Amino acid sequence: MAILFRVLLILILSDSLVSTRCLGVGINYGQIANNLPSPSRVAYLLKSLNISKVKLYDANPNVLTAFGNSNVEFVVGLGNEYLQKMTDPIQAQTWIQQHVLPYIFQTKITCFTVGNEVLTGNDTQLMSYLLPAMRTVYGALRGLGINKDVYVTTAHSTGILGNSFPPSAGVFRQDLAEYIQSILNFHSQTDSPFLINAYPFFAYKDNPDQVSLDYVLFQPNPGTTDPITNLKYDNMLYAQIDAVYAAIKAMGHTDIQVKVSETGWPSKGDPSEVGATLENARLYNSNLLSRVQQNQGTPAKPSVPIDVYVFALFNENLKPGPSSERNYGLYYPDGTPVYYIGLQGFLPRMDYAASNRNGLNFFHLLLFPVAFLLRTL
């Protein structure tokens, strides 16, 4: 019995030590699934991982309530289907009053993303709504006196770049220049960041014979040197970020920070999805977390630590598209890791989460690591 207790104590202490490594990184909490744990249980899981930044794709009231009085900062998404409505100041103010004000004093909402990857879609009318919607949402927040606490932005695919190599020669697509210039002016005026969804996985999948796997996975590799700046890059994500910085500078702005609102790697995919393996996903995310923990900046912005939201918390079984879309999660819906990257949290039982909101029972903490080990043996 004494030996068992010591083993359990070591497991608990080691779990606590490893989970602290994740401080500073954000996570995308998608919910396109029918088998996910309740938001109150997810709140416990993220607390155990010391993840303090979460990005949502909507203003789910159950999630915002479950995280009330926590230290978690939320990015709340307004889907593309809301853009036209959000150009109307009355509708924007009504939406915020109904979906934000009831929670904002207990749950830390720090950002709104108005639309997602709008400029790389095919709907030009939707593109025309994007900036007006951003301005109107910002105006509604200002009218309520909370614009200084919550910034407004939108998330872009790296497909908005017309050129990304070398990074210092990064430029936006010419056909999108008019939209992006106005959006950059908005960011400069409101001191808000420029968000990108960056996936080196896609670059490798599309050109596995030309793109080095080690380069996209942050593994040791010769790297590449920007011939203009002589800066060396040992991974693609940093090169993509700096290409966006260069494109922003080419449009006359040096006062806007670039943040990565999504990045990740699928643990499984269709036969045609080269590189979508569990081991590659483990390497990408564990190496990325290691860089984040070191407060690294990119070669062009060495003093600005990268700000990253990993995609995603769970595998989502109802997402459409290829198999990879349903296999980006760090965790299965039952709370066990898809692969081990130095983080180990706990997901309380359903009955426990519903009846105990003030802290985790010591006996339950003892049982979880043992259950996790038994599953993995």
Side-chain angles (χ1 to χ4, degrees):
M1 186 67 180
I3 294 175
L4 176 61
F5 180 79
R6 283 198 297 270
V7 170
L8 292 172
L9 185 60
I10 289 170
L11 284 170
I12 293 169
L13 291 175
S14 64
D15 177 57
S16 174
L17 288 173
V18 216
S19 64
T20 58
R21 292 179 54 200
C22 197
L23 283 170
V25 72
I27 193 80
N28 282 271
Y29 178 13
Q31 299 168 75
I32 306 177
N34 61 7
N35 58 354
L36 296 182
S38 67
S40 60
R41 298 172 71 206
V42 174
Y44 281 114
L45 174 62
L46 295 184
K47 183 177 180 181
S48 74
L49 293 169
N50 282 326
I51 289 178
S52 59
K53 297 189 297 182
V54 174
K55 179 168 165 280
L56 297 177
Y57 292 87
D58 55 20
N60 187 314
N62 295 325
V63 175
L64 296 177
T65 299
F67 281 85
N69 300 313
S70 72
N71 291 320
V72 176
E73 296 181 358
F74 274 93
V75 174
V76 171
L78 274 159
N80 295 350
E81 67 274 17
Y82 285 98
L83 290 187
Q84 183 176 6
K85 291 181 179 179
M86 289 302 105
T87 61
D88 179 350
I90 296 176
Q91 292 197 55
Q93 184 169 344
T94 300
W95 189 91
I96 291 170
Q97 288 174 332
Q98 291 177 349
H99 297 89
V100 178
L101 285 185
Y103 313 102
I104 198 166
F105 298 108
Q106 290 185 318
T107 304
K108 294 182 180 179
I109 300 172
T110 59
C111 170
F112 284 107
T113 54
V114 180
N116 185 61
E117 300 188 355
V118 174
L119 297 185
T120 44
N122 298 317
D123 191 336
T124 54
Q125 189 161 35
L126 200 62
M127 295 180 193
S128 70
Y129 294 145
L130 179 57
L131 181 60
M134 293 169 67
R135 284 175 172 160
T136 304
V137 170
Y138 179 79
L141 292 173
R142 184 173 55 191
L144 294 168
I146 53 177
N147 60 297
K148 293 184 179 179
D149 302 312
V150 185
Y151 59 78
V152 175
T153 183
T154 187
H156 304 280
S157 159
T158 52
I160 60 174
L161 290 170
N163 181 66
S164 60
F165 188 83
S168 62
V171 291
F172 294 118
R173 282 168 37 185
Q174 190 58 40
D175 61 316
L176 300 178
E178 181 180 353
Y179 297 107
I180 295 175
Q181 181 70 73
S182 299
I183 289 172
L184 291 175
N185 293 341
F186 171 83
H187 287 312
S188 180
Q189 292 161 6
T190 62
D191 193 26
S192 53
F194 191 89
L195 303 187
I196 60 167
N197 298 336
Y199 289 89
F201 163 70
F202 293 125
Y204 178 75
K205 176 183 71 73
D206 294 340
N207 295 285
D209 295 329
Q210 299 177 15
V211 177
S212 163
L213 183 59
D214 288 337
Y215 181 67
V216 293
L217 293 179
F218 299 91
Q219 290 289 90
N221 67 92
T224 182
T225 300
D226 186 318
I228 301 172
T229 61
N230 208 34
L231 294 173
K232 185 174 181 179
Y233 290 83
D234 66 357
N235 71 85
M236 180 175 284
L237 180 65
Y238 285 18
Q240 290 177 327
I241 295 171
D242 279 351
V244 175
Y245 270 121
I248 292 173
K249 185 177 180 179
M251 286 199 156
H253 288 281
T254 57
D255 56 344
I256 299 169
Q257 184 178 359
V258 175
K259 297 187 178 185
V260 181
S261 45
E262 288 183 21
T263 191
W265 197 285
S267 59
K268 187 188 297 183
D270 294 328
S272 60
E273 295 184 285
V274 181
T277 69
L278 189 145
E279 177 61 11
N280 287 345
R282 184 189 70 80
L283 286 171
Y284 183 83
N285 284 314
S286 61
N287 288 336
L288 173 62
L289 289 179
S290 178
R291 300 290 184 107
V292 171
Q293 289 150 14
Q294 296 171 35
N295 288 322
Q296 274 195 353
T298 63
K301 297 280 185 177
S303 61
V304 181
I306 59 168
D307 195 326
V308 172
Y309 284 78
V310 173
F311 188 87
L313 183 56
F314 296 111
N315 283 343
E316 298 172 69
N317 66 344
L318 297 183
K319 289 198 74 174
S323 297
S324 62
E325 288 295 319
R326 295 175 287 282
N327 290 280
Y328 273 92
L330 299 181
Y331 286 86
Y332 293 109
D334 66 359
T336 53
V338 176
Y339 42 83
Y340 185 70
I341 58 173
L343 302 173
Q344 184 176 311
F346 46 82
L347 185 70
R349 296 190 307 269
M350 189 177 302
D351 57 344
Y352 181 85
S355 61
N356 294 273
R357 295 182 180 276
N358 295 323
L360 285 168
N361 164 305
F362 180 71
F363 180 68
H364 186 72
L365 288 180
L366 289 177
L367 290 180
F368 183 85
V370 174
F372 173 76
L373 284 180
L374 289 175
R375 171 168 177 152
T376 56
L377 288 177

